[in-house]
Amino acid sequence: MKTEQYVMAYGVEQDRIRAILPEGCTSLRPVLRINAEVRGETEGYLELNTAVEKDGVRGWLNIGFFSPMPFKRIGKRIVFQNEYLSISFEGVGISGGCPAEKDNGGCFFENTLRTPEVITEPKEFCDCEFLWKLPSGASGKSMGKTLPAIPTEIKTAYPKEAFTVQNAAKIPCQAVLGAYVVRFER
């Protein structure tokens, strides 16, 4: 199946992520990641993740997903939009790779670990813009470069909150760290 995978990561205050993580998970970086896919030109899918260590495995923890996720193409731009989120990507014509994750064991969906997919196709960097359409929802726009997500020490102990998309979406975006699209056959 022809797949277009759009990925965007944004920096947030790591203590805010720590406040929503379930027991047994440790935050690795101050980042939230949105993966959006067009599958077979007709089906849209989107998920929200954060980098964690769980049971000795480093990977991504799925916070939630939307399937189907409506999308539309407007010229060179693709927009994924539902009642909770609007995110757009536009390729900039520069190919490269994303920051290496040599320790990525996969993505945790509830208590199941899905090993990472091997994708060898080149990635095209994108400009990206997003808005969580929830009360106090985060928003951001890429700055045309890729920025690092550096772990931080605990500074603020926020009250524990439920591990939900709504609570993750209200964590303010400090910066869009990078975005890309990769096209491949699945």
Side-chain angles (χ1 to χ4, degrees):
M1 171 191 340
K2 179 182 173 186
T3 303
E4 293 174 54
Q5 186 178 73
Y6 295 85
V7 180
M8 183 273 289
Y10 65 101
V12 296
E13 183 184 351
Q14 195 167 8
D15 288 336
R16 298 282 307 268
I17 293 173
R18 291 178 178 115
I20 67 168
L21 285 179
E23 287 297 317
C25 292
T26 303
S27 177
L28 295 176
R29 292 183 291 284
V31 66
L32 291 170
R33 180 180 76 173
I34 295 173
N35 290 345
E37 291 187 357
V38 175
R39 299 171 173 170
E41 274 304 318
T42 58
E43 182 185 342
Y45 171 85
L46 186 138
E47 62 187 42
L48 176 64
N49 305 303
T50 191
V52 299
E53 183 170 332
K54 179 180 177 184
D55 301 327
V57 177
R58 296 166 72 95
W60 294 90
L61 179 62
N62 182 265
I63 301 169
F65 65 92
F66 302 99
S67 182
M69 180 67 178
F71 69 93
K72 62 184 172 186
R73 297 182 192 276
I74 305 167
K76 294 180 179 182
R77 183 168 288 270
I78 187 163
V79 179
F80 295 86
Q81 187 168 335
N82 65 12
E83 64 270 26
Y84 304 106
L85 175 69
S86 177
I87 185 168
S88 65
F89 297 85
E90 185 171 339
V92 297
I94 299 171
S95 293
C98 65
E101 293 179 337
K102 294 178 177 81
D103 61 352
N104 180 11
C107 191
F108 295 96
F109 284 82
E110 295 181 1
N111 291 317
T112 303
L113 177 66
R114 293 185 191 166
T115 56
E117 202 168 10
V118 176
I119 301 171
T120 57
E121 300 299 320
K123 296 162 178 67
E124 178 185 3
F125 292 104
C126 293
D127 284 333
C128 180
E129 216 172 314
F130 79 100
L131 168 66
W132 283 104
K133 299 186 292 183
L134 297 164
S136 303
S139 64
K141 183 176 181 177
S142 60
M143 298 181 291
K145 59 184 176 179
T146 301
L147 304 169
I150 300 167
T152 62
E153 296 295 323
I154 297 172
K155 295 177 187 168
T156 306
Y158 290 101
K160 192 73 176 156
E161 293 188 76
F163 186 65
T164 64
V165 168
Q166 291 81 359
N167 284 335
K170 70 182 182 182
I171 300 173
C173 170
Q174 294 174 337
V176 171
L177 303 174
Y180 65 83
V181 59
V182 63
R183 296 169 180 90
F184 60 96
E185 286 291 323
R186 177 177 280 147

